[in-house]
Amino acid sequence: MVGVAQVLLKPLPLGVTVAYAPRGPLVDSADLPESLRALASALAGDRCASVLADPELAPSPELESALARSGARPAGVFVQPRRTLLMDLTRTPDELLAAMRKKTRQYVHKAEREGVVTEETRDLDRFLAVLEKVAARDHFALHDRGYFERLLAAFGEAAHLTMSRVGTEDDGALLAVQIGDRAWELYGGWSGAHGESRPFYLLKWRSLLGMKQRGVTRYDMWGLSEHAGDELAGIENFKLGFGGEIATWIGAFDRPVIAPLYPLWRIAGRRRLAAAAR
């Protein structure tokens, strides 16, 4: 078995920890149960209650049965999105435009005609000013400035802040990161200003083109709704207008590391981990 995983340790009360392998381990489906066993063995000396993983592997009855036999079970929380939209940037710009819904394509061209401006920036104040308006309107919590400063420092030139504006007013913000030939949207939104000019449609399109020019072949729009009517349903409809392929991953599974400590994770740790990831 060959694979790799980034493992984060989160503290729980009484010196206990819980481990999380975001979007990992990177292994074939058949090797996932054994890789979780290996991780649990490696973590046993860290007073670790459980290891949680949410790899990019498609669900299947065979994989879920193998995980159950190995002692892993559905975690009951989703730290990363289980459903997402993947854009194939090996296509030409004309092919990408043709794959869009008609209305989305019309809105992209309308924004161009209306003179919407998009640009990359490292000005975190501008970015957060838009994101704070989005958070206030849509009622979601926003990380503090220090979080975004650390994020930009960690990714360096691989982090791309793109803004849209009409005249002198910023109205859209998007943060995407690139690793090799892949890119992920992490944060973004539209302030609600200048809706008639459809600025966020053009911002999204220009972000796709910018990543394509940098050699990205797969662009992850990062998150679709879990079920009809949830809080992401409206965002999902917007994203699907750009075309792309819906991907569904197996979701989050956890496996006990030190069995007597495992109830601490089931009672309190999962909630803390999910809250810390928001």
Side-chain angles (χ1 to χ4, degrees):
M1 177 183 69
V2 178
V4 65
Q6 177 191 49
V7 179
L8 309 177
L9 289 177
K10 298 282 187 178
L12 296 180
L14 306 176
V16 177
T17 63
V18 62
Y20 171 47
R23 283 293 186 249
L26 300 179
V27 295
D28 293 334
S29 292
D31 294 328
L32 180 59
E34 176 59 21
S35 68
L36 291 179
R37 185 208 63 76
L39 284 178
S41 178
L43 291 163
D46 292 300
R47 284 184 58 79
C48 185
S50 173
V51 56
L52 179 145
D54 52 10
E56 289 188 350
L57 294 173
S60 71
E62 295 78 15
L63 177 55
E64 292 170 12
S65 295
L67 286 168
R69 290 194 300 271
S70 74
R73 67 182 72 180
V77 296
F78 293 111
V79 183
Q80 312 298 341
R82 194 176 66 93
R83 297 176 67 246
T84 193
L85 184 68
L86 303 178
M87 305 295 296
D88 178 6
L89 298 191
T90 63
R91 295 179 171 187
T92 67
D94 285 344
E95 288 171 335
L96 289 169
L97 280 168
M100 292 181 185
R101 291 175 180 168
K102 180 180 178 181
K103 188 62 69 175
T104 299
R105 188 166 54 250
Q106 289 174 339
Y107 286 160
V108 167
H109 293 321
K110 179 177 175 61
E112 291 173 330
R113 292 193 304 271
E114 295 275 338
V116 173
V117 174
T118 65
E119 60 185 352
E120 279 211 29
T121 181
R122 301 299 286 187
D123 190 333
L124 193 55
D125 288 328
R126 287 178 61 194
F127 176 80
L128 290 176
V130 171
L131 217 59
E132 285 166 0
K133 293 177 182 177
V134 180
R137 182 192 64 220
D138 294 341
H139 308 291
F140 63 82
L142 189 63
H143 291 290
D144 62 22
R145 181 189 176 87
Y147 170 87
F148 287 98
E149 289 175 343
R150 293 190 296 272
L151 190 156
L152 293 181
F155 283 101
E157 294 303 312
H160 302 278
L161 289 177
T162 310
M163 309 286 297
S164 64
R165 58 183 169 83
V166 175
T168 60
E169 183 178 8
D170 291 328
D171 47 40
L174 191 62
L175 169 58
V177 299
Q178 176 188 0
I179 301 177
D181 63 353
R182 293 184 58 184
W184 294 260
E185 287 183 3
L186 297 187
Y187 297 96
W190 169 56
S191 70
H194 306 290
E196 70 285 352
S197 298
R198 309 295 179 180
F200 203 54
Y201 285 85
L202 186 60
L203 180 60
K204 204 83 145 172
W205 172 235
R206 293 275 174 81
S207 181
L208 290 170
L209 291 181
M211 289 301 173
K212 178 177 174 61
Q213 291 171 355
R214 293 181 178 89
V216 168
T217 61
R218 187 166 83 160
Y219 185 105
D220 190 332
M221 286 210 183
W222 201 249
L224 299 176
S225 62
E226 280 294 318
H227 52 79
D230 73 8
E231 65 272 14
L232 290 178
I235 297 173
E236 172 170 322
N237 185 59
F238 168 74
K239 290 180 178 180
L240 291 178
F242 286 85
E245 176 187 356
I246 296 175
T248 301
W249 309 128
I250 192 171
F253 278 72
D254 64 8
R255 187 187 193 283
V257 175
I258 300 176
L261 299 178
Y262 187 62
L264 283 176
W265 159 248
R266 300 294 291 184
I267 294 170
R270 292 184 302 168
R271 183 178 302 173
R272 178 174 297 187
L273 179 60
R278 295 192 182 103

